[in-house]
Amino acid sequence: MMQPEIGQKAGDTKEINRDVQALLEKAELWDEKTKAHEAQNLFEKSIKFYCGRGGEKMDKNASRKLTMQAAALGHQSARAECYYRGWGVEQSYERSFSICIVEATKGNPHAQFKLGVCYERGRGVQKNPERAVKWYHKAAEQGHVSAWGNLGCCYEEGVGVPVNTKKAIQYYQMAASHGDVLAYFNLGACYEGLWDYSEAQKWFRKAALAGYADAQYEMGRLTPPVRNKMWYQMAAIQGHVESMLCIANLREDEKNLDEALKWYWKAAEKGCHEALQKLNDRGYFRTYALGYFRKNKKAVLRVVRRDLAMLQMLSSSILDALQGDYLIRLINKNINKCAK
């Protein structure tokens, strides 16, 4: 059975491993043809969750579980994905690339697509944009939706090919016609770059309603202030930092300091220096901030422990006010550790 994913929550690991083990026990009664068929179904479903296709909202956890199950049944593209992403195994771009090169030469469209990704990003092999485009084209010729989307990106950004916005839009539209959420988003970005805000909003909205946080943020940015809070809230709940900052700013403008502080701190917990700087800079936040820090010592410590820059950004007035407190003693101890 596949080993637990490094850095994965223990509860998630146990649940996924139980599901994989249960599937393997069930598969003992299947012949090879049935096992291969089931593995392919699981992998195709995992892609739908990962990309938000086929009426499914984007769900990376569901995709991970299904990919690991398919890999446990011996699906080679699923195994490559697991190695590429570190799902259930120690991450290894090299092993992922090795599997893909074998499968791609056999004509496997997903392996051809993934090989393109490896060449484009230099994962497990030296970066080679021209080869990336070549493999994307091979996969696209077989109707691979993500390959169409990535070709759109290549033509939009001039990766391995000359910039050609018209071709980029054509490829994005091909992927979008099959329900690809990222293609919706990229079409929105393309049309915004062409100053066609009506068309941009149309595509951003489609991606936003499918659960894509970046698109929800863009809808908030392009929507009049009366209605933009809803979009920012949807993205912020998913951990979108820029949306958290926008909500905090809106709440601050409304003089709702408790809510503003809450969202600034949520952004700070995500590693956003700008959010912590705002807490330091806003004099009238100090009382709120000190109270929050004292009530949430462990949460504050978890953030500042992993980021020396954040420790250094805490204003002297906040540090002075917390002098002698449990939190400040630990922070000072950690500063000394980082300095050694």
Side-chain angles (χ1 to χ4, degrees):
M1 190 167 74
M2 308 183 81
Q3 295 301 309
E5 176 182 329
I6 293 173
Q8 186 176 296
K9 290 181 182 176
D12 290 346
T13 302
K14 289 178 182 177
E15 182 183 345
I16 290 174
N17 281 346
R18 278 199 301 268
D19 290 341
V20 171
Q21 185 61 51
L23 179 67
L24 288 174
E25 290 171 3
K26 187 177 177 182
E28 288 177 2
L29 303 175
W30 299 342
D31 57 28
E32 289 303 312
K33 186 176 179 181
T34 302
K35 194 183 292 185
H37 179 73
E38 182 65 21
Q40 182 64 23
N41 285 341
L42 287 167
F43 186 63
E44 287 178 1
K45 193 171 182 181
S46 77
I47 292 173
K48 287 181 180 178
F49 277 113
Y50 193 85
C51 300
R53 291 187 204 136
E56 303 288 357
K57 285 205 170 184
M58 297 177 89
D59 187 336
K60 300 295 172 67
N61 286 330
S63 176
R64 180 182 65 189
K65 173 182 168 181
L66 292 165
T67 302
M68 288 172 64
Q69 288 180 321
L73 293 177
H75 194 283
Q76 294 304 302
S77 289
R79 288 185 64 234
E81 282 293 336
C82 286
Y83 280 119
Y84 188 88
R85 302 189 183 283
W87 286 352
V89 291
E90 186 173 352
Q91 188 178 53
S92 172
Y93 294 131
E94 291 75 16
R95 294 190 76 169
S96 178
F97 179 82
S98 297
I99 295 170
C100 287
I101 195 74
V102 172
E103 293 299 305
T105 53
K106 293 178 183 176
N108 181 321
H110 187 81
Q112 292 171 342
F113 160 74
K114 202 69 189 181
L115 206 55
V117 173
C118 290
Y119 276 119
E120 183 183 352
R121 299 178 185 175
R123 302 283 169 82
V125 67
Q126 188 173 350
K127 189 181 287 189
N128 189 323
E130 290 75 19
R131 282 193 180 179
V133 171
K134 167 193 159 185
W135 284 108
Y136 286 148
H137 272 296
K138 284 181 178 290
E141 286 165 7
Q142 297 194 65
H144 195 280
V145 178
S146 293
W148 290 334
N150 280 26
L151 279 172
C153 290
C154 289
Y155 280 105
E156 182 185 3
E157 298 168 11
V159 176
V161 289
V163 171
N164 188 325
T165 304
K166 185 177 179 181
K167 268 194 173 183
I169 289 174
Q170 287 174 348
Y171 278 116
Y172 287 147
Q173 286 176 333
M174 288 168 71
S177 69
H178 285 72
D180 189 84
V181 174
L182 191 55
Y184 296 160
F185 178 81
N186 286 332
L187 278 169
C190 266
Y191 281 115
E192 185 179 10
L194 295 171
W195 307 95
D196 189 340
Y197 293 110
S198 175
E199 196 69 10
Q201 270 196 306
K202 168 186 145 183
W203 289 106
F204 281 143
R205 179 183 288 274
K206 286 175 77 74
L209 293 175
Y212 193 44
D214 284 348
Q216 290 162 352
Y217 168 74
E218 293 298 332
M219 283 301 298
R221 190 174 58 80
L222 294 174
T223 303
V226 180
R227 299 196 304 275
N228 64 0
K229 291 178 192 173
M230 174 190 77
W231 294 112
Y232 288 140
Q233 190 84 26
M234 289 168 70
I237 289 170
Q238 295 191 66
H240 194 272
V241 174
E242 289 85 354
S243 295
M244 291 177 181
L245 282 173
C246 288
I247 292 175
N249 285 326
L250 289 168
R251 295 294 182 250
E252 187 179 348
D253 291 342
E254 296 166 355
K255 305 302 180 187
N256 187 341
L257 301 187
D258 286 324
E259 275 293 301
L261 172 64
K262 181 182 87 173
W263 285 107
Y264 278 134
W265 183 251
K266 281 181 178 290
E269 286 184 299
K270 292 283 185 182
C272 179
H273 290 188
E274 182 183 347
L276 191 59
Q277 191 65 59
K278 290 217 174 191
L279 292 175
N280 280 330
D281 291 345
R282 301 289 200 272
Y284 51 82
F285 267 133
R286 296 266 163 78
T287 302
Y288 290 90
L290 292 174
Y292 187 90
F293 284 7
R294 287 193 176 105
K295 287 178 188 174
N296 299 273
K297 293 173 185 175
K298 289 185 179 179
V300 174
L301 182 62
R302 188 168 59 247
V303 173
V304 297
R305 255 185 170 165
R306 69 170 182 253
D307 195 332
L308 178 59
M310 280 202 171
L311 286 170
Q312 295 168 332
M313 283 174 64
L314 287 172
S315 66
S316 58
S317 62
I318 288 179
L319 291 175
D320 290 343
L322 290 172
Q323 202 59 255
D325 199 332
Y326 166 77
L327 172 61
I328 196 60
R329 289 200 303 273
L330 286 175
I331 288 177
N332 284 336
K333 181 180 178 182
N334 197 58
I335 289 175
N336 292 333
K337 272 187 189 176
C338 294
K340 287 179 181 178

